[in-house]
Amino acid sequence: MADGANPENSAQGSGETRREFLYLTAGAMTVVGAAGAIWPMIDSMNPSADVLALSSTEVDLSPIEEGQSVTITWRGKPVFIRRRGAEEIAIAEETPLADLPDPQTDDDRVEKPEWLILVGVCTHLGCVPLGQKTGESRGDYGGWFCPCHGSHYDTSGRIRKGPAPKNLEVPPYVFLTDNSIKIG
Amino acid sequence: MSFKTNNKVVQWVEDRLPLISMGHHTLYEYPMPKNLNYLWNFGSLAGFALVTMIVTGIILAMQYTPHVDMAFNSVERIMRDVNNGWLIRYIHMNMASFFFIAVYIHIMRGLYYGSYKAPRELLWQLGVVIFLLMMATAFMGYVLPWGQMSFWGATVITNLFSAIPVVGESIVTWLWGGFSVDNPTLNRFFALHYLLPFIIVAVVVLHIVALHTVTSNNPLGIDMKGPQDSLTFQPYYTIKDLFGLGVFLILFAGFLFWAPNYMGHPDNYIPANPLSTPAHIVPEWYFLPFYAILRAVPDKLGGVLAMFGAIAVLFVLPWLDRSKIRSCKFRPVARVFFWIFLLNGLFLGYLGGKPAEGWYVVASQIATAYYFFHFLILLPVILPMIERPRELPSSIHEAVLKS
Amino acid sequence: MKKILSGLFAAALGFATVPANAAGDAVPLPDYEWSFDGVFGTYDKASLQRGFQVYKEVCSGCHSLDLIAFRNLADLGYNVDEIKAIASEYTVEDGPNDEGEMFERNAIASDYFPSPFPNEKAAAASNGGKAPPDLSLMAKARVGGPSFVRALLTGYEDAPEGFETGDLSYNKYFPGHLIAMAPPLSEDSVEYGDGTAATVDQMAADVSHFMMWAAEPKLEARKNTGVKVMIFLIIFTLVMYAAKRKVFAKVH
């Protein structure tokens, strides 16, 4: 470009660059603006403040007797709370890990051995297992039995037989006092 | 010219479904008159408003409950608990007004520059259809929060149909799905409020197809005669539309963030009460001129006919205005009367917001009469007799060079 | 052309003011200053807390606050434990339990403020036939908003001579001047924890401030977002203007 010194040419050249720069800036700002406008809409579909306010629940355990189960609702799902007897605890603790499809010690699944707290949703396809009420089938291992596709859970809520891949989920919870817990 | 590429897959699709060619034609090479002023921005602004309304509306519909016992509180839940719900709902509320502002300016621009004249008659009539659909959609949308104005606005407007002789009462009962505005009414208004915007989109597509067939009018009102008169859409009008959008959004954001309820009415923050009518019922501001026309006629059926007539007259406007000259730039008398017509329309809007008593009634009657005089007598009869248009320039290019 | 454009906008917006001003014969409201006015306005948390106290100790005897949950009090500057403590002062009906009975329990943060009356008919029956309105949206449901509420609370005076009030009270700012609510505030109706003197003016200002928050809890987020969006839009528009100038520079 020997004639690059030509004032007319160089003026045109820098004009082109400036124009390109303005185009790019304009395009970039349009994209940023559109993204900034769309994000609040997408975010609006996340759980709202009133839903989040109900995402933890406190439960008074004192009315539950040994060998009794109650079902409460937490985040729209059933939560099984079972006050286990000594025999049930012993069976759960003595089961060898080798017998378990999803190996986990009973100790890892409870805060206090007396209280077993589980999300009552079968890990296969989301049915609610039987075994909470007296007279309901509790499966071959004395825990819960899912009637949809025949999954058997033991007294620690662990999967023993059937199509479910995982143990019943333990929700996050803390003991507020000896007799009350906060789930979530 | 059809699109060619070396990419075999793209070419295969393009040969069967010419999306790229269509997009290229519409958004890129489409020739626009080169002398358009900023009043030609309002078409794209109205389109932007429509898209905004649909997007925010779908998001709101995910959170709203169309039941008389829950509608009001579900809207308040959006305002209080849903993430950014206050923002989305206020955008929907205020963009409704800004949509009408854009469309009113778009219509007035069409009136001033004669954009309704041959060969653009169908283009204009499709626009009037869009306007009617917008009014129906806006009216039903205003009912959904189920506040006092929602309820009583719905009651008053649906009762208009009772003016129809013989079958009027049956039609109103049918509209309500009961014997008053109630849950069935709210449910069907919600269904229709969701449906109509998509019908508007369909008519907008026709509006654009018609536009691209006859091309844009321009401030001179004369046809483009060749490439020297035109500019391609991209980059000239994309960038100009984006600049206009920026200004529009700045004004919009002013209302949205600092006066979101300015164009609303406090009574709509009171839950609907079928046993107690608010002291003073007014529709949203964009309906006020038509509301004034409705009330100006002392007869029930007459008022309804006048109101619908005020819009129906726009349908036949292309044949009422007999001047061959499009732009008011070259019509010294029509231009003056355009401004009188505009002021008269604003005055009708002012009167629509006032109670129907005292001098307001007489003024509404005079303003209503003038509205129809303008279309039915002035344009077809008087102007052709008294107006001598100025000489038109020979081409857009020449006129632009001179100025 | 620019003139036409701005004229049209002014006109369009001008007649938007019509409904806002149309509500009738009330006396013009005093021009109060609020901390939440203006471009950067925010709520005054101390005033909100005092206003909440006035609501709790005076208004809540008759007026519900349906849309406010105890958890919302976090906006007033209360922490989780304080909110728990406030909530536990209230009882709410829950149930049915396993026996099918409704029962009462202490409120928790996610509960809403309970109404003073079981339903609207009961509220009307105990208040001379007219139910006291809910206060959640009061500051947006009246022309004049929070200023109207504040003026109303301080607007009680003796009726002019010959003005028959009957069982009702005379209020300067109430449309029609006859209001069913007896003057609710009197000197030292409440005792403020922060030592502020509880004059009628002060209490009216605080409780109106509180009601504005109750009606528009997202006001601070709104103005805050607005400033950012506005800055973006102004830069956006300037860039587009520059680009537009550049593109059209060669068009003749």
Side-chain angles (χ1 to χ4, degrees):
Chain A
M1 289 281 162
D3 57 355
N6 182 323
E8 206 183 315
N9 265 5
S10 75
Q12 208 169 17
S14 82
E16 282 301 306
T17 323
R18 202 173 144 224
R19 190 152 98 167
E20 290 298 312
F21 172 73
L22 275 172
Y23 276 15
L24 274 175
T25 317
M29 286 204 81
T30 309
V31 171
V32 169
I38 286 169
W39 170 246
M41 318 247 177
I42 294 171
D43 185 37
S44 79
M45 290 163 72
N46 277 316
S48 57
D50 57 326
V51 173
L52 291 175
L54 296 174
S55 65
S56 70
T57 183
E58 290 177 22
V59 187
D60 179 15
L61 301 176
S62 52
I64 308 171
E65 284 159 33
E66 191 176 304
Q68 200 187 358
S69 295
V70 298
T71 306
I72 60 141
T73 310
W74 171 71
R75 294 188 180 174
K77 288 179 290 197
V79 168
F80 297 163
I81 301 175
R82 180 161 178 83
R83 188 169 186 175
R84 299 189 295 185
E87 197 189 341
E88 282 176 75
I89 298 171
I91 296 172
E93 284 177 348
E94 285 156 19
T95 306
L97 289 186
D99 290 359
L100 300 171
D102 179 16
Q104 210 177 12
T105 61
D106 186 60
D107 200 38
D108 284 346
R109 297 176 55 78
V110 290
E111 291 280 322
K112 297 183 180 178
E114 193 183 4
W115 295 103
L116 178 64
I117 291 148
L118 302 167
V119 175
V121 175
C122 180
T123 55
H124 180 218
L125 290 170
C127 297
V128 177
L130 301 174
Q132 283 294 91
K133 297 201 182 92
T134 42
E136 278 181 359
S137 166
R138 312 190 57 175
D140 297 351
Y141 297 86
W144 288 267
F145 170 68
C146 182
C148 291
H149 305 94
S151 293
H152 299 254
Y153 296 92
D154 68 10
T155 56
S156 187
R158 291 172 297 198
I159 180 67
R160 300 300 287 274
K161 199 169 105 182
K166 289 210 171 337
N167 302 332
L168 288 178
E169 189 193 338
V170 177
Y173 65 92
V174 286
F175 275 87
L176 297 172
T177 66
D178 277 354
N179 273 323
S180 74
I181 55 166
K182 182 180 163 204
I183 304 176
Chain B
M1 200 183 76
S2 67
F3 178 82
K4 290 284 168 227
T5 173
N6 288 331
N7 185 318
K8 287 209 173 97
V9 179
V10 175
Q11 189 65 54
W12 188 90
V13 174
E14 188 64 16
D15 289 341
R16 288 153 182 82
L17 182 68
L19 284 179
I20 297 177
S21 306
M22 278 161 63
H24 189 259
H25 171 72
T26 314
L27 293 170
Y28 208 95
E29 65 184 11
Y30 173 65
M32 303 273 284
K34 68 185 200 183
N35 59 335
L36 297 186
N37 59 39
Y38 280 108
L39 287 174
W40 264 264
N41 278 54
F42 287 91
S44 73
L45 290 177
F48 176 84
L50 175 60
V51 171
T52 306
M53 293 306 280
I54 289 178
V55 172
T56 52
I58 289 173
I59 297 287
L60 289 172
M62 294 178 188
Q63 310 280 0
Y64 170 78
T65 312
H67 186 281
V68 289
D69 293 335
M70 288 176 269
F72 188 88
N73 282 0
S74 76
V75 172
E76 279 304 317
R77 189 185 149 266
I78 292 171
M79 296 293 289
R80 290 156 192 273
D81 287 334
V82 173
N83 304 314
N84 313 302
W86 60 270
L87 175 65
I88 299 166
R89 196 256 177 152
Y90 275 153
I91 291 176
H92 201 72
M93 252 172 86
N94 284 280
M95 193 54 93
S97 282
F98 271 71
F99 194 5
F100 273 97
I101 291 173
V103 163
Y104 275 127
I105 295 174
H106 191 63
I107 293 174
M108 284 300 160
R109 188 268 286 153
L111 287 178
Y112 187 84
Y113 294 110
S115 301
Y116 47 85
K117 291 184 191 180
R120 299 188 179 84
E121 302 95 324
L122 282 179
L123 175 61
W124 170 263
Q125 288 182 324
L126 285 166
V128 179
V129 171
I130 294 170
F131 182 50
L132 269 175
L133 288 169
M134 270 176 72
M135 293 205 283
T137 310
F139 161 66
M140 287 189 270
Y142 194 61
V143 176
L144 303 184
W146 209 242
Q148 274 288 67
M149 278 294 164
S150 300
F151 180 87
W152 292 101
T155 301
V156 168
I157 300 299
T158 48
N159 260 316
L160 292 180
F161 293 90
S162 70
I164 300 167
V166 189
V167 292
E169 291 294 333
S170 317
I171 288 179
V172 174
T173 308
W174 173 77
L175 280 175
W176 287 340
F179 302 100
S180 63
V181 174
D182 208 335
N183 201 46
T185 327
L186 177 61
N187 262 287
R188 63 191 60 181
F189 277 18
F190 179 55
L192 292 173
H193 182 70
Y194 205 122
L195 168 71
L196 286 185
F198 296 97
I199 296 184
I200 294 178
V201 169
V203 184
V204 167
V205 169
L206 295 179
H207 193 66
I208 291 172
V209 170
L211 173 71
H212 283 220
T213 310
V214 298
T215 69
S216 290
N217 188 26
N218 62 78
L220 296 171
I222 56 179
D223 294 328
M224 289 182 281
K225 295 200 174 75
Q228 74 279 9
D229 289 343
S230 70
L231 295 171
T232 53
F233 194 79
Q234 160 76 10
Y236 296 98
Y237 287 102
T238 39
I239 203 76
K240 194 176 176 184
D241 279 350
L242 281 173
F243 168 58
L245 179 65
V247 176
F248 184 74
L249 286 180
I250 286 173
L251 287 169
F252 174 70
F255 278 91
L256 172 65
F257 293 110
W258 288 280
N261 293 302
Y262 185 74
M263 291 184 274
H265 197 284
D267 276 295
N268 228 28
Y269 283 108
I270 304 171
N273 179 355
L275 302 180
S276 152
T277 310
H280 184 47
I281 301 182
V282 272
E284 291 288 82
W285 68 265
Y286 36 80
F287 291 136
L288 290 175
F290 300 100
Y291 193 56
I293 292 174
L294 168 75
R295 295 190 309 184
V297 183
D299 173 70
K300 190 171 174 181
L301 178 60
V304 174
L305 288 177
M307 187 178 70
F308 284 110
I311 295 163
V313 75
L314 295 174
F315 271 104
V316 286
L317 173 63
W319 297 276
L320 291 173
D321 184 353
R322 286 161 51 205
S323 170
K324 291 277 177 266
I325 309 296
R326 294 194 191 109
S327 173
C328 275
K329 244 188 165 131
F330 306 103
R331 299 185 64 190
V333 185
R335 183 165 61 202
V336 174
F337 280 102
F338 167 83
W339 289 109
I340 296 175
F341 174 78
L342 177 61
L343 289 175
N344 185 61
L346 294 174
F347 185 51
L348 275 169
Y350 166 80
L351 293 167
K354 292 288 166 194
E357 59 194 34
W359 71 271
Y360 297 131
V361 179
V362 183
S364 305
Q365 288 166 346
I366 295 170
T368 301
Y370 184 80
Y371 181 97
F372 287 103
F373 163 80
H374 179 91
F375 286 116
L376 298 177
I377 298 172
L378 185 75
L379 290 181
V381 183
I382 299 179
L383 281 187
M385 292 195 295
I386 61 170
E387 185 173 61
R388 255 193 88 237
R390 292 211 227 113
E391 197 187 333
L392 294 176
S394 59
S395 80
I396 295 173
H397 182 63
E398 195 179 284
V400 171
L401 278 185
K402 259 189 222 161
S403 66
Chain C
M1 201 41 52
K2 274 174 192 149
K3 259 189 209 160
I4 299 177
L5 221 122
S6 57
L8 281 170
F9 260 105
L13 301 179
F15 76 115
T17 65
V18 172
N21 297 337
D25 58 340
V27 179
L29 300 174
D31 194 13
Y32 297 120
E33 278 192 13
W34 298 100
S35 68
F36 49 77
D37 283 343
V39 173
F40 303 99
T42 54
Y43 288 119
D44 171 355
K45 287 200 168 63
S47 179
L48 287 180
Q49 294 198 359
R50 290 194 301 268
F52 171 54
Q53 191 186 348
V54 176
Y55 168 74
K56 195 167 67 168
E57 294 176 18
V58 182
C59 318
S60 69
C62 302
H63 291 277
S64 55
L65 195 64
D66 288 346
L67 299 173
I68 304 296
F70 294 102
R71 64 185 160 84
N72 298 136
L73 296 176
D75 291 2
L76 274 55
Y78 293 112
N79 64 33
V80 175
D81 293 327
E82 287 168 325
I83 290 171
K84 242 182 174 172
I86 293 168
S88 64
E89 293 168 23
Y90 292 80
T91 52
V92 292
E93 193 178 50
D94 200 350
N97 60 16
D98 293 344
E99 282 76 47
E101 307 286 335
M102 302 304 280
F103 58 93
E104 302 238 305
R105 62 164 172 80
N106 288 341
I108 56 173
S110 59
D111 285 315
Y112 286 77
F113 274 88
S115 297
F117 300 101
N119 54 58
E120 202 184 318
K121 293 253 173 45
S126 323
N127 286 283
K130 198 170 180 306
D134 184 78
L135 296 184
S136 319
L137 282 165
M138 186 52 70
K140 283 193 331 196
R142 296 291 182 275
V143 176
S147 296
F148 171 76
V149 176
R150 182 167 165 184
L152 182 93
L153 289 172
T154 53
Y156 286 91
E157 49 186 45
D158 293 331
E161 213 149 309
F163 197 100
E164 205 51 57
T165 58
D167 290 341
L168 306 174
S169 302
Y170 184 87
N171 191 304
K172 190 159 76 162
Y173 298 107
F174 194 69
H177 302 306
L178 278 179
I179 183 168
M181 175 169 72
L185 298 173
S186 54
E187 206 74 2
D188 294 319
S189 293
V190 302
E191 192 182 324
Y192 282 137
D194 62 2
T196 309
T199 60
V200 171
D201 270 346
Q202 182 66 40
M203 288 184 287
D206 289 337
V207 81
S208 324
H209 204 107
F210 171 74
M211 280 197 237
M212 184 59 191
W213 165 79
E216 189 75 3
K218 302 295 182 190
L219 177 139
E220 291 180 359
R222 166 156 64 77
K223 295 194 172 185
N224 200 349
T225 313
V227 172
K228 290 177 196 148
V229 170
M230 203 52 120
I231 291 170
F232 174 84
L233 283 176
I234 288 169
I235 298 171
F236 175 89
T237 308
L238 289 176
V239 168
M240 293 306 160
Y241 183 66
K244 189 248 160 196
R245 283 282 299 253
K246 192 81 196 159
V247 170
F248 274 83
K250 287 190 198 141
V251 178
H252 298 293

